[in-house]
Amino acid sequence: MTMTPKAPEGRYEDGTDGRPQGAYETRGRLDRIVGLVIAAIVIAAAGLLWLAVAVNGPDTTVADSNDVVIGVWRVLYNADAPALPVILTAIALALLAAAGLAIVERRISTTSRRSMDPTDRPLAPKVVMGANRGVFAGEVTVTVLIPAHNEEASLPQTIASLKSQSHRPERIIVVADNCTDATVRLALQAGVEVIESVGNTKKKAGALNQALAQVLPQQGENDVVMVMDADTQLDDGFLAAAVVRFTADRALVAVGGLFYGEEGHGLIGQFQRNEYIRYARQMRRRRGRVFVLTGTASLFRPVALRTIAESRGWSLPGTTGDVYDTAALTEDNELTIAIKSLGGLMISPQDCTVVTELMPSWRTLWNQRLRWQRGALENIGAYGVTPSTIRYWAQQLGIGYGVIALSAYLGLIVTTLLALEAWIWFPFWLGIGFLFTIERVVAVWKGGWRARLLAALLFPELFFDMFLNAVYVKGIIDISFGRQAAWKHLAHAAPAGTLSAQEA
């Protein structure tokens, strides 16, 4: 059964097919220049900062350095620090940028919450609640879709984590996409349903669209659909907490999980675990306000998925009738922006957590992060600059500025080492670095002693950040030159560096 919804009546100008002029038929125009736009803004901002700092000229002397003897050690240090006005200006600019972004984000959220326009924001809380006011559609039920391509190694554990939940899902469906291993057989042996994709050439999104075309028409208004990766295990209580959220808030259209990394994989695994712990902490500080509805595990009301499918090709990029945009490399990020664009209310609660697979080698991690980065750029390019995408544009600009800042910092250290005959300590900058290190340790405290030790050493994680920065630059270059993006996969049982099954 294929969904072929019509365009909302009276919503657009009349035409041969009812589409508005300039509806998402121009995909790719902004996609190709989004990298150039971001790079130009970041470089211009860095150039202005450099000019501001260089106005007074650098101090090239170390005459004020002092010799101090501590036991048998001879230490040189320079007590100079930036002028107080410069420090205060830097703090003020940082606070202004953070406050400005927070105010804009809050204003956008408030506008969506107050909207009663089913045309412009059909998923706005008041619109959704108005449609189901006074109607009891039954208890919340959960239908789980697990997209799987050759996932025989991890699928049994994923299904087991679902069946061990305190609130067990009513249905578990494995969406088998072009599988050549034992995925289908293992799913059937585990007692769950299987939907096999037919002629799918559009990866995970295409397989999910085929499954949702069958599943969505069967869903009631108070049912929810969960999409989770086949290499992920839910922590106990995940579904129970999510169902409580949906039951308590009729306006809520989606609940996303917070993900933590599995154990193992040595140093590269610890880098990723620290990264995920910091992201979860950031979500806690945002009080669950969603940045991305993670593909590892997220739940949706049917009204949200149906509305997205109806809006594709009209007010959202993609093909009318598809829930997922098959042109998007990062379908979870794109779906999040789609729901935000339609005014939907989402949350990532702290009690909805999962443990997901980590990349075991630098090569597979590079491929994964390059897909994430390229997908993020393509998503904001497809949507353009809108209230719903401002936060994502700001993130990309912030990452770009961080690339320049960290590169300059490490470059300056190397230059100093090569230029001076003796190392000179700068107490002011040591103090700043100490505070920075303390923050990084506190941010991963929940991860145990290994996480804390890695954060305390500082430089290993800085070099990991440089690795991610290189991924960012590669993504900018690829999209700017119009290079075709590739979807690469990682086999669970393959040796490190062997590309195959799923790298999601």
Side-chain angles (χ1 to χ4, degrees):
M1 182 175 182
T2 303
M3 299 167 55
T4 54
K6 297 179 180 179
E9 294 182 5
R11 188 171 176 180
Y12 301 113
E13 302 172 5
D14 291 334
T16 56
D17 61 357
R19 285 178 181 268
Q21 302 241 348
Y24 284 87
E25 295 175 345
T26 56
R27 172 191 284 277
R29 183 175 60 189
L30 184 55
D31 290 12
R32 288 189 293 271
I33 67 171
V34 62
L36 295 175
V37 171
I38 291 175
I41 294 175
V42 168
I43 292 173
L48 288 175
L49 180 61
W50 179 82
L51 288 174
V53 173
V55 166
N56 296 324
D59 182 7
T60 58
T61 69
V62 291
D64 293 333
S65 297
N66 297 277
D67 294 350
V68 178
V69 176
I70 303 177
V72 296
W73 292 283
R74 182 169 178 268
V75 179
L76 301 179
Y77 71 92
N78 189 309
D80 289 347
L84 183 60
V86 173
I87 297 175
L88 294 178
T89 300
I91 295 174
L93 288 175
L95 292 176
L96 183 62
L101 184 59
I103 291 172
V104 170
E105 194 172 17
R106 183 178 181 84
R107 182 179 181 86
I108 294 169
S109 176
T110 301
T111 300
S112 294
R113 287 176 178 271
R114 293 177 177 175
S115 175
M116 299 182 67
D117 184 358
T119 297
D120 185 47
R121 290 183 173 87
L123 292 180
K126 288 189 176 182
V127 175
V128 173
M129 294 181 70
N132 59 32
R133 182 175 290 112
V135 177
F136 178 66
E139 300 294 335
V140 173
T141 69
V142 179
T143 296
V144 180
L145 299 182
I146 308 175
H149 172 69
N150 292 345
E151 300 286 354
E152 63 179 9
S154 61
L155 185 61
Q157 290 80 13
T158 300
I159 295 174
S161 79
L162 286 167
K163 289 188 173 183
S164 65
Q165 289 286 298
S166 56
H167 182 109
R168 292 184 60 174
E170 279 66 26
R171 297 177 68 187
I172 302 174
I173 304 173
V174 172
V175 183
D177 181 37
N178 298 317
C179 293
T180 57
D181 65 354
T183 294
V184 173
R185 176 174 58 83
L186 291 175
L188 293 174
Q189 288 177 352
V192 303
E193 302 174 53
V194 175
I195 295 178
E196 296 190 61
S197 61
V198 179
N200 177 45
T201 60
K202 297 180 179 179
K203 307 300 179 184
K204 178 179 176 181
L208 283 171
N209 282 337
Q210 289 188 16
L212 287 168
Q214 299 180 43
V215 172
L216 274 183
Q218 306 168 21
Q219 298 294 300
E221 293 305 314
N222 216 25
D223 300 328
V224 296
V225 176
M226 178 177 182
V227 179
M228 69 175 295
D229 287 341
D231 56 13
T232 297
Q233 289 82 51
L234 303 185
D235 287 333
D236 187 41
F238 183 107
L239 291 183
V243 168
V244 168
R245 296 279 181 166
F246 280 115
T247 302
D249 192 344
R250 293 183 296 117
L252 190 65
V253 298
V255 170
L258 295 177
F259 48 92
Y260 294 91
E262 64 183 356
E263 291 299 320
H265 306 303
L267 181 61
I268 190 173
Q270 193 61 58
F271 281 136
Q272 295 171 78
R273 283 190 290 274
N274 280 16
E275 185 183 17
Y276 292 169
I277 291 170
R278 289 190 177 100
Y279 175 78
R281 182 171 182 262
Q282 182 184 10
M283 288 299 99
R284 182 168 63 251
R285 295 170 67 181
R286 287 171 56 87
R287 298 181 181 178
R289 292 195 299 275
V290 173
F291 191 69
V292 176
L293 286 167
T294 172
T296 55
S298 292
L299 301 95
F300 308 88
R301 287 197 193 271
V303 64
L305 301 180
R306 291 174 183 139
T307 303
I308 290 171
E310 294 170 359
S311 302
R312 294 284 184 202
W314 304 86
S315 59
L316 300 177
T319 302
T320 305
D322 284 350
V323 173
Y324 285 92
D325 181 8
T326 56
L329 279 174
T330 48
E331 71 288 330
D332 50 357
N333 184 65
E334 194 281 334
L335 197 68
T336 306
I337 299 177
I339 294 177
K340 286 190 175 184
S341 299
L342 299 176
L345 177 62
M346 302 169 284
I347 190 171
S348 290
Q350 290 295 310
D351 43 8
C352 290
T353 58
V354 305
V355 176
T356 192
E357 185 185 49
L358 299 177
M359 295 299 101
S361 69
W362 291 104
R363 182 185 177 191
T364 54
L365 182 62
W366 174 276
N367 290 328
Q368 180 199 57
R369 297 311 173 87
L370 184 58
R371 182 170 67 83
W372 288 3
Q373 179 57 47
R374 178 69 181 268
L377 292 171
E378 289 183 352
N379 289 340
I380 62 175
Y383 279 83
V385 182
T386 69
S388 300
T389 61
I390 287 177
R391 182 68 175 78
Y392 299 91
W393 282 93
Q395 182 203 35
Q396 292 301 317
L397 292 172
I399 295 174
Y401 194 83
V403 169
I404 294 177
L406 182 57
S407 300
Y409 171 71
L410 294 178
L412 183 60
I413 290 178
V414 172
T415 302
T416 302
L417 286 172
L418 296 176
L420 298 179
E421 296 180 356
W423 180 260
I424 300 177
W425 298 95
F426 293 84
F428 175 83
W429 296 111
L430 283 175
I432 296 296
F434 179 74
L435 293 176
F436 179 72
T437 303
I438 290 297
E439 190 280 331
R440 292 184 70 85
V441 172
V442 170
V444 299
W445 196 263
K446 184 178 179 180
W449 71 268
R450 290 184 180 88
R452 301 166 198 165
L453 176 61
L454 185 60
L457 294 175
L458 185 60
F459 279 94
E461 285 199 316
L462 289 184
F463 286 113
F464 178 69
D465 289 341
M466 285 299 296
F467 171 84
L468 299 180
N469 288 347
V471 173
Y472 174 86
V473 173
K474 181 65 162 59
I476 292 283
I477 293 173
D478 285 352
I479 199 171
S480 299
F481 284 91
R483 295 172 182 168
Q484 185 67 33
W487 185 298
K488 297 177 180 176
H489 303 285
L490 167 69
H492 299 286
T498 302
L499 298 180
S500 175
Q502 182 172 357
E503 179 190 297

